[in-house]
């Protein structure tokens, strides 16, 4: 039972997503460690939904998530920045045209 | 070891992905984000000092929640009714939850949870001095809810606006739950105050013992708190120790009057000119002693935490072995 052993054999990290109520998306609420998927779900219930905060939980191994690069000025998001015509406000419609 | 959770990357300033941006650029961007009162998120570049200070602050906070289960936990089996037992159980369970939310936040900065536990157990990281005092009667459970969770609320509500996103979000969850903690404590005390003389004496005795240690929870006075200025500039601390302490006193005095107890400070009085209470000075040498490990229960708290960790080792190992076996079987079944 040496102290370093615990560090070595640590349970993997899971990210937890909770659907607050019907009609809403699952939202990331935090993470936890668990030995397997089932334990991760049980722990997620105990940790993140002690007060009816959810009707459904997803857990996913953190190392299975692919993420965009970290810099928010990253060119990754650039393609959406210069396409103003994707927004309804781009179009001039006379005020007297109804319901548009 | 680097964690790569969805929200986190433990990379420091030596990250190869810096390409294109030089450090000065990134620092300007970081400063501007803080200045705009926007949140820093795990994958953003941040100065090493910011990362290190936050890990230390969040870990210390997490350890406090975990050690904080002990003083009240001792009363779960001795609670005077099933109702009080269920409430105390829920409260102590919440504190475990608070610890875990915070460890989770620390991990987004690249800290390793097992390593943090190890640091606590080896005494290399601290927890709040308040949990080194004993709980001598059931009234202590009420006074802890009222004072200690009340002080925690004073401390934590401003941290819901901390500049570090995961920490701020953990604080929001925690603050919602602390309100239950404070109210159950105060209600418990109101019930005792309506009881016998002996019960009222127990309440007053608990108030007398916990008042000064509770004031010390806010940390040393501002002129002896050298790192505060940088933390305030980074917006990971939003008010000074003395300011929070004043708020706590102003908040608690009328509650004490309603309850019918006396706060053990002869210098405590309303100052109409300032619009705040004047109050005495805590014994700072006591705080220093307790922080250094020489409080009434330091050794006991650490020993309890250490043995819980060691005695739980076989459970962690068995669960890992079971998970490994299950996934091996699943693979073989699929083949
Ligand atoms: Fe707490
Ligand atoms: Fe609490």
């Amino acid at each position: 039972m040496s102290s370093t052993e615990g560090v070595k054999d640590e349970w993997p990290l899971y990210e937890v997503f909770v659907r607050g109520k019907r009609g809403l998306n699952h939202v990331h609420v935090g993470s936890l460690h668990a030995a397997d998927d089932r334990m991760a779900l049980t722990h997620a219930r105990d940790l993140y939904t002690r007060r009816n905060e959810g009707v459904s939980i997803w857990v996913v191994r953190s190392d299975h998530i692919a993420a965009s690069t970290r810099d928010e000025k990253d060119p990754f998001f650039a393609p959406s920045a210069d396409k103003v015509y994707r927004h309804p406000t781009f179009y001039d419609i006379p005020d007297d045209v109804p319901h548009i | 070891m680097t964690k790569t959770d969805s929200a986190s990357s433990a990379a420091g300033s030596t990250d190869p992905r810096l390409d294109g941006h030089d450090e000065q650029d990134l620092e300007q961007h970081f400063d501007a984000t803080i200045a705009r009162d926007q949140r820093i998120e795990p994958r953003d570049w941040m100065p090493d000092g910011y990362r290190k200070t936050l890990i230390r602050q969040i870990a210390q906070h997490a350890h406090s929640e975990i050690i904080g289960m002990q003083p009240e936990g001792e009363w779960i089996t001795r609670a005077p009714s099933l109702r009080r037992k269920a409430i105390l159980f829920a409260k102590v369970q919440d504190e475990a939850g608070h610890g875990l939310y915070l460890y989770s936040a620390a991990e987004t900065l690249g800290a390793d949870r097992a390593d943090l536990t190890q640091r606590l157990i080896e005494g290399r990281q601290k927890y709040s001095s308040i949990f080194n005092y004993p709980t001598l009667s059931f009234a202590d459970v009420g006074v802890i809810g009222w004072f200690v969770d009340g002080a925690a609320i004073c401390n934590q509500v401003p941290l819901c606006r901390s500049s570090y996103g995961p920490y701020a979000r953990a604080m929001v969850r925690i603050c919602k739950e602390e309100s239950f903690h404070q109210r159950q404590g105060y209600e418990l005390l109101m019930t005792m105050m309506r009881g016998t003389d002996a019960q009222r004496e127990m309440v007053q005795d608990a108030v007398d013992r916990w008042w000064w240690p509770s004031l010390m929870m806010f940390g040393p006075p501002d002129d002896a708190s050298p790192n505060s200025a940088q933390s305030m500039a980074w917006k990971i601390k939003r008010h000074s120790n003395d300011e929070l302490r004043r708020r706590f006193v102003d908040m608690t005095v009328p509650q004490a009057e309603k309850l019918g107890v006396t706060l053990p400070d002869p210098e405590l009085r309303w100052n109409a000119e300032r619009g705040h209470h004047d109050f005495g000075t805590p014994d700072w040498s006591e705080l220093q002693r307790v922080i250094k490990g020489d409080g009434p229960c330091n050794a006991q708290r650490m020993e309890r935490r250490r043995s819980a960790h060691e005695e739980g080792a076989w459970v962690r190992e068995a669960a890992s072995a079971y998970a490994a076996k299950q996934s091996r079987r699943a693979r073989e079944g699929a083949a």
Side-chain angles (χ1 to χ4, degrees), chain B residues 75-100:
Chain B
W75 282 94
I76 290 176
T77 56
R78 295 177 286 171
S81 69
L82 187 57
R83 179 174 181 270
R84 291 291 168 198
K85 184 184 286 211
I87 292 169
L88 188 51
F89 232 136
K91 200 239 178 198
V92 172
Q93 191 192 13
D94 275 353
E95 304 300 3
H98 296 176
L100 297 180

Side-chain angles (χ1 to χ4, degrees), chain B residues 65 91 95 98 149 178 181:
Chain B
E65 303 282 358
K91 200 239 178 198
E95 304 300 3
H98 296 176
D149 292 276
E178 293 297 357
H181 299 176

